[in-house]
Amino acid sequence: LLLLAVLLDSDLALLCSLHKDMDIPKVIGGLGKKYAAYSSSSEFLRSLPTVASLSSDPDASRDLLDCCLRFYLRKPGILTLHLVTGMHALLVLREDFASHYGQALSAHYTSLACLFVAHKCPEIPKTPRPPRRKKGQTEDTAGRGWEELTEVGLASKSDHDIKMVDTCLELSKIYPEMEEELLLPAARLICK
């Protein structure tokens, strides 16, 4: 793993211990309410570990994307999906951010941290795992290519399915070395 990815992983572990020690009122409600509560808690936001290399490390975007992908694969849902699509948006708009790109990455990291704690700090595998097959499904999702996954996404009734496939396809053009990892969230569509 790259240095920033390791830092992100250790930061997430640190967040779990900080979260247990913080005197933040329990939030009753769904994941969205918990995420909103952490996002607006000045005490929580002040306690977040800072990753200084977000603005200076040329691999910071890739490492943060890797962390978002692994989180999505562990806890698939609309909010974690938007962590991945949000990283794509940041990368597409990178030149428009100019000198503020490090701040944008830091804001995305903060969003990741808030959602991670709202999800009760799940263990996130260091290596992305292929999606599980549906009960009774005999097809293997390994070896699916972009063309097939795009067809599955287009055939879906959910606009988020095609959004995820398209996002992962476009991210694989930016980071061809991550193609295998980026195929996993798209292949998840076959398993759901």
Side-chain angles (χ1 to χ4, degrees), residues 30-48:
L31 185 61
K33 285 186 179 184
K34 291 175 184 172
Y35 171 75
Y38 290 119
S39 298
S40 61
S41 166
S42 56
E43 180 189 356
F44 177 77
L45 295 174
R46 275 192 310 272
S47 73
L48 286 178

Side-chain angles (χ1 to χ4, degrees), residues 8 11-12 15 34-51 54 64 67-68 71 83 87 90 102-118:
L8 286 170
D11 281 352
L12 294 180
L15 278 176
K34 291 175 184 172
Y35 171 75
Y38 290 119
S39 298
S40 61
S41 166
S42 56
E43 180 189 356
F44 177 77
L45 295 174
R46 275 192 310 272
S47 73
L48 286 178
T50 57
V51 181
L54 278 175
L64 189 54
C67 201
C68 291
F71 188 19
L83 285 175
M87 275 303 303
L90 283 174
Q103 289 173 302
L105 282 181
S106 183
H108 202 71
Y109 163 76
T110 299
S111 186
L112 167 69
C114 291
L115 189 55
F116 178 74
V117 173

Side-chain angles (χ1 to χ4, degrees), residues 1 9 66 70 73 124-130 180-181 184:
L1 285 174
D9 287 341
D66 174 66
R70 290 184 292 123
L73 287 167
I124 299 177
K126 300 243 184 264
T127 306
R129 295 180 186 151
E180 191 173 315
E181 292 90 346
L184 293 174

Side-chain angles (χ1 to χ4, degrees), residues 6-145:
V6 171
L7 287 173
L8 286 170
D9 287 341
S10 62
D11 281 352
L12 294 180
L14 178 60
L15 278 176
C16 291
S17 63
L18 286 174
H19 173 254
K20 290 174 188 167
D21 295 337
M22 289 174 60
D23 188 26
I24 294 178
K26 295 277 184 208
V27 178
I28 297 178
L31 185 61
K33 285 186 179 184
K34 291 175 184 172
Y35 171 75
Y38 290 119
S39 298
S40 61
S41 166
S42 56
E43 180 189 356
F44 177 77
L45 295 174
R46 275 192 310 272
S47 73
L48 286 178
T50 57
V51 181
S53 58
L54 278 175
S55 57
S56 60
D57 185 346
D59 295 326
S61 299
R62 184 183 62 218
D63 293 347
L64 189 54
L65 171 61
D66 174 66
C67 201
C68 291
L69 282 170
R70 290 184 292 123
F71 188 19
Y72 171 79
L73 287 167
R74 176 68 175 88
K75 290 289 188 181
I78 193 70
L79 296 176
T80 52
L81 177 144
H82 283 106
L83 285 175
V84 176
T85 59
M87 275 303 303
H88 177 240
L90 283 174
L91 290 163
V92 168
L93 298 171
R94 181 182 218 152
E95 290 180 18
D96 295 324
F97 280 109
S99 62
H100 301 288
Y101 185 69
Q103 289 173 302
L105 282 181
S106 183
H108 202 71
Y109 163 76
T110 299
S111 186
L112 167 69
C114 291
L115 189 55
F116 178 74
V117 173
H119 263 291
K120 299 179 183 171
C121 306
E123 182 180 334
I124 299 177
K126 300 243 184 264
T127 306
R129 295 180 186 151
R132 293 185 180 138
R133 292 184 287 211
K134 287 189 261 184
K135 192 173 184 176
Q137 181 182 15
T138 56
E139 274 185 283
D140 187 7
T141 58
R144 305 284 177 144

Side-chain angles (χ1 to χ4, degrees), residues 106-185:
S106 183
H108 202 71
Y109 163 76
T110 299
S111 186
L112 167 69
C114 291
L115 189 55
F116 178 74
V117 173
H119 263 291
K120 299 179 183 171
C121 306
E123 182 180 334
I124 299 177
K126 300 243 184 264
T127 306
R129 295 180 186 151
R132 293 185 180 138
R133 292 184 287 211
K134 287 189 261 184
K135 192 173 184 176
Q137 181 182 15
T138 56
E139 274 185 283
D140 187 7
T141 58
R144 305 284 177 144
W146 289 117
E147 189 174 313
E148 184 177 356
L149 292 172
T150 301
E151 287 177 25
V152 171
L154 287 170
S156 172
K157 293 181 181 176
S158 169
D159 58 341
H160 289 98
D161 289 350
I162 189 58
K163 179 180 185 175
M164 183 56 115
V165 172
D166 182 61
T167 295
C168 290
L169 173 60
E170 293 302 314
L171 285 167
S172 75
K173 293 174 184 175
I174 297 169
Y175 296 116
E177 71 279 10
M178 290 183 72
E179 183 171 27
E180 191 173 315
E181 292 90 346
L182 289 161
L183 278 164
L184 293 174

